[in-house]
Amino acid sequence: MSPVELNRAEREELQREIEDNRRWEFRLVGYAGIALVVIAAIVVVRVVFFS
């Protein structure tokens, strides 16, 4: 099975898609941090008010 030869437009489109995905990966790190803060806040409220 030989690799498919891509023309210039297809390569540029793939590169653009890779860059978009990379940006979303960096956003996911921030979203994970926000999720951890929310979970920590829920745990703190539960411990302080319901213990």
Side-chain angles (χ1 to χ4, degrees), residues 7-17:
N7 63 29
R8 182 183 176 124
E10 291 169 334
R11 275 194 307 254
E12 288 174 354
E13 178 63 28
L14 285 175
Q15 192 62 39
R16 189 172 22 258
E17 188 173 334

Side-chain angles (χ1 to χ4, degrees), residues 3 6-7 14-16 19-21 23 25 27-28 32 34 36 41 43 49-51:
L6 300 175
N7 63 29
L14 285 175
Q15 192 62 39
R16 189 172 22 258
E19 291 298 323
D20 290 344
N21 289 342
R23 277 187 236 117
E25 288 174 3
R27 289 182 190 154
L28 287 175
I34 292 169
L36 288 175
V43 169
F49 292 109
F50 298 109
S51 292

